[in-house]
Amino acid sequence: MKVISLLLIIVILFSCSPNPYSATNKIYKKQARIFAKILSSTPTDSIWADSLKRPSHNANTTNFGMRKPNMVIIHFTAQNSCEQTLQTFTKPATQVSAHYVICKDGMLQHILNDYLRAWHAGVAKWGNNNDINSTSIGVEIDNNGMDSFSTAQLNTLYGVLAFLKKEYNIPTANFIGHSDVAPTRKPDPGILFPWKSLSAKGYGNWYADTTGKVIPVDFNTLYALKIIGYDLKDLPAVYRAFRMHFLGYKNDAELTETEKKILYMLMQQYL
Ligand SMILES: [Zn+2]
């Protein structure tokens, strides 16, 4: 009987592989509890200054919800494996994270609650929004920046995007890339990312056929890029980001007449 019990213990020990992230999962829980405490506290006192008149009785509303993400930023990890990325995102010293990681075989890791703020966009701007992390979901795709994206990954991505779009009512135009919101710093998700296919499924805008179209003589390319959302601080970087997303190649020269026509058609989606 003793031998059988011993064998049973050995079998159990070897069949349950320990979670290599159990220590960092504990840190996650602890951090989430701190935020839960902040959320459950009544409004902050920090607004009060001598010039503001305080009420004799505080009143808290009964009518509220959670703030929701309104954009999805797509990245490639620029790393060599999903495991490497998960390790990066679970080391406090790196100060980087995302909400979702999609591995090459299509496996999905949901590493942060969608209502919390991931550190994925960094210094970034889209339209007048200069706090992209506060308003977006970060989706990282395991890709070293040179390989094409696997069918399994893209199928998982479509599933994630369908969920996010429906759950948070995210506008079609607000599915964009890291290079769009940080054109001077970031190249991802890169020229191999299939933006046109995404757009056909309702994630991101695309342009209509330009055949036979004539652009107005007063068409202003900078105005069009601004309307779409680009931060025009560094124009060569913006031309490069626009080309990477909508034309599938990199070049930071001024736009050609053909490219301007595409930009003009694309702008129509934003008006
Ligand atoms: Zn990125």
Side-chain angles (χ1 to χ4, degrees):
M1 196 63 191
K2 268 185 181 171
V3 175
I4 292 172
S5 303
L6 192 67
L7 279 174
L8 204 63
I9 289 167
I10 290 170
V11 167
I12 289 169
L13 277 177
F14 279 91
S15 61
C16 307
S17 58
N19 182 349
Y21 297 100
S22 58
T24 51
N25 287 353
K26 270 188 196 150
I27 295 173
Y28 179 104
K29 284 261 183 208
K30 196 177 162 196
Q31 192 64 28
R33 270 198 298 270
I34 292 169
F35 290 127
K37 213 170 164 188
I38 293 170
L39 284 174
S40 63
S41 68
T42 49
T44 167
D45 258 359
S46 59
I47 191 172
W48 294 109
D50 291 344
S51 57
L52 294 173
K53 190 177 176 188
R54 275 178 179 267
S56 52
H57 302 288
N58 285 339
N60 300 134
T61 183
T62 53
N63 316 322
F64 56 98
M66 298 279 280
R67 289 178 201 261
K68 293 186 288 186
N70 196 242
M71 303 173 84
V72 173
I73 307 295
I74 295 171
H75 305 255
F76 62 47
T77 59
Q79 293 194 314
N80 295 318
S81 71
C82 222
E83 206 49 52
Q84 191 187 357
T85 298
L86 293 174
Q87 283 176 19
T88 301
F89 288 165
T90 51
K91 278 195 184 83
T94 65
Q95 299 280 289
V96 290
S97 61
H99 294 88
Y100 297 88
V101 178
I102 301 175
C103 306
K104 282 217 168 52
D105 62 359
M107 188 181 73
L108 177 70
Q109 281 275 8
H110 189 185
I111 63 172
L112 179 65
N113 187 309
D114 295 345
Y115 287 99
L116 292 173
R117 185 177 184 270
W119 297 340
H120 63 99
V123 177
K125 198 174 176 198
W126 192 243
N128 286 322
N129 179 354
N130 64 357
D131 187 1
I132 304 295
N133 282 343
S134 283
T135 49
S136 68
I137 294 286
V139 179
E140 289 274 0
I141 306 174
D142 175 27
N143 182 294
N144 61 10
M146 287 166 282
D147 298 342
S148 51
F149 296 85
S150 78
T151 305
Q153 276 181 320
L154 293 174
N155 286 338
T156 298
L157 176 68
Y158 294 141
V160 172
L161 298 184
F163 167 78
L164 294 174
K165 188 174 186 187
K166 188 160 182 277
E167 185 75 6
Y168 305 116
N169 195 23
I170 295 175
T172 299
N174 286 3
F175 291 79
I176 50 177
H178 200 185
S179 55
D180 294 313
V181 298
T184 58
R185 302 187 302 113
K186 294 292 172 179
D188 58 313
I191 57 172
L192 297 176
F193 188 73
W195 283 114
K196 192 179 178 186
S197 304
L198 254 77
S199 171
K201 292 177 188 295
Y203 316 119
N205 279 343
W206 201 253
Y207 45 93
D209 189 4
T210 58
T211 315
K213 294 282 189 254
V214 179
I215 55 175
V217 281
D218 61 349
F219 176 58
N220 183 325
T221 54
L222 299 189
Y223 176 75
L225 289 163
K226 186 82 188 156
I227 288 279
I228 291 165
Y230 287 104
D231 176 10
L232 304 186
K233 215 163 49 193
D234 182 332
L235 282 180
V238 172
Y239 294 142
R240 186 170 62 240
F242 166 75
R243 284 188 176 101
M244 281 198 292
H245 187 136
F246 295 103
L247 298 164
Y249 51 83
K250 278 185 201 180
N251 181 348
D252 56 11
E254 281 199 26
L255 301 185
T256 65
E257 288 309 307
T258 309
E259 291 167 338
K260 280 183 189 171
K261 206 187 271 189
I262 288 169
L263 175 62
Y264 174 74
M265 294 308 290
L266 179 64
M267 184 181 78
Q268 310 309 311
Q269 308 293 317
Y270 292 82
L271 298 177

